[in-house]
Amino acid sequence: MQIIDGKQVAAQVLEEVAQDIAELKTKGILPGLAVVLVGNDPASQVYVGSKVKKCAELGMNSKKIVLPEETTQDELLEVIRQLNEDSSIHGILVQSPPPPHIDEAEVVLAINPAKDVDGFHPENVAKLVLEDETGFVPCTPLGCMRLLESAGVQTAGKRAVVIGRSMIVGKPMAHLLMSKKANATVTIAHSRTVNLPDLCKEADILVAAIGRPNFVTKDFVKEGAVVIDVGINRVDDATAPRGYKIVGDVAYDEVAPLCSAITPVPGGVGPMTIALLMANTVKACRQQNHC
Ligand code: GUN
């Protein structure tokens, strides 16, 4: 059983990004990312902080814009409009989920698709479906694909089951797996799927993106399967320093012995998301500067 080391693979991706940034700097170009957070969701604050910190480590330009919970839709749209116009910013990300009074779909539509490094804009969703590589693909599924590749997992002809149909992970993951690059046969399962364990048991590659702690038990997993755990769930743990710990969507201890390869939580998919965000920002910068 191979434990897929997301920290190590993320470090490789970031090394490539660093080389790209160095090359762009010789041309007088500095990639820039703007991260917008509305409200004070604690998990979102951590994610936004890590994204900005990673930009700094790479010597990239970044702008962290934290807006109060009561920010109006129009105020947020105005911030996006300014970032669209700002030539020092190549990537724009609005941390999800925003407060409930914000219409997230309208916010995403307002982002210039060329700067939409999250890959949430309909133009980029269409490019993913069309397999047009000029588009931006959401960072988490992109990171999952890179983990499969780095672990030497052959996807062509294999049966893949993705649990979860979100626009951020499940749907784009399914498209990447079925693409003419990966050539897997893909099933998307979700909360209304009947007899989920038996369906998942047919998977050579099982991707869990449900957002429920320890949901995938050994009854879901075929012997020799590859399991990618996208879950990041906070569960109470009185013995942990912060009073909680992070667990995945997969019951790791009972599932891992069955697998040919598995990603741990933490240290699997998580570190990849930020690394691929940096890679998407450099891609956006190159496209905007035609280099
Ligand atoms: N919230 C959870 N994951 C993501 C992500 O990849 N991008 C944004 N913008 N928000 C998120």
Side-chain angles (χ1 to χ4, degrees):
M1 194 266 298
Q2 178 190 2
I3 299 171
I4 304 174
D5 184 344
K7 275 194 213 153
Q8 192 192 327
V9 183
Q12 282 165 20
V13 173
L14 289 169
E15 178 54 37
E16 292 163 19
V17 172
Q19 282 171 19
D20 270 8
I21 293 171
E23 188 214 318
L24 286 165
K25 278 186 178 165
T26 64
K27 298 176 179 160
I29 298 167
L30 183 62
L33 173 68
V35 183
V36 182
L37 172 64
V38 187
N40 31 37
D41 175 67
S44 290
Q45 284 173 337
V46 174
Y47 296 144
V48 164
S50 323
K51 289 166 185 175
V52 172
K53 185 166 156 236
K54 192 59 75 183
C55 288
E57 282 170 21
L58 288 165
M60 254 165 65
N61 181 26
S62 72
K63 237 182 207 165
K64 177 173 153 184
I65 301 173
V66 180
L67 303 171
E69 180 84 19
E70 59 273 14
T71 303
T72 66
Q73 180 81 7
D74 283 349
E75 285 165 348
L76 179 54
L77 292 175
E78 177 55 24
V79 168
I80 306 286
R81 201 192 58 73
Q82 285 171 15
L83 292 170
N84 283 340
E85 296 295 313
D86 185 341
S87 62
S88 73
I89 293 298
H90 307 94
I92 302 170
L93 176 155
V94 181
Q95 188 65 28
S96 187
H101 66 276
I102 296 291
D103 176 351
E104 192 173 10
E106 192 190 26
V107 172
V108 166
L109 265 181
I111 298 171
N112 177 353
K115 296 190 176 186
D116 169 38
V117 285
D118 258 334
F120 295 169
H121 190 286
E123 185 173 312
N124 286 315
V125 177
K127 284 185 173 178
L128 171 60
V129 178
L130 292 163
E131 300 189 37
D132 174 343
E133 293 188 354
T134 65
F136 293 97
V137 178
C139 308
T140 300
L142 215 46
C144 294
M145 293 304 290
R146 182 78 184 236
L147 287 177
L148 288 172
E149 197 184 315
S150 76
V153 175
Q154 301 293 321
T155 52
K158 296 291 166 57
R159 296 209 65 171
V161 173
V162 179
I163 320 175
R165 55 181 154 182
S166 71
M167 292 303 299
I168 300 191
V169 184
K171 285 194 187 105
M173 187 70 204
H175 279 290
L176 290 171
L177 283 164
M178 77 173 81
S179 72
K180 286 188 172 150
K181 269 187 166 171
N183 294 298
T185 301
V186 183
T187 304
I188 305 188
H190 48 76
S191 53
R192 300 290 286 271
T193 297
V194 172
N195 204 353
L196 186 59
D198 282 354
L199 178 74
C200 292
K201 248 192 158 124
E202 288 180 29
D204 302 304
I205 299 161
L206 182 61
V207 181
I210 316 134
R212 285 213 244 161
N214 302 320
F215 181 83
V216 173
T217 58
K218 62 181 185 333
D219 300 334
F220 288 61
V221 180
K222 177 170 77 175
E223 179 117 36
V226 175
V227 173
I228 305 291
D229 188 351
V230 184
I232 301 180
N233 307 294
R234 286 187 183 196
V235 296
D236 292 339
D237 179 359
T239 66
R242 290 189 179 85
Y244 66 86
K245 63 176 178 177
I246 301 294
V247 301
D249 291 346
V250 176
Y252 185 87
D253 291 343
E254 63 175 74
V255 168
L258 287 169
C259 300
S260 61
I262 186 168
T263 62
V265 177
V269 175
M272 296 299 289
T273 299
I274 290 192
L276 272 300
L277 174 64
M278 300 298 124
N280 272 356
T281 304
V282 167
K283 174 178 169 176
C285 179
R286 282 192 184 280
Q287 288 183 356
Q288 284 159 51
N289 287 283
H290 310 285
C291 67

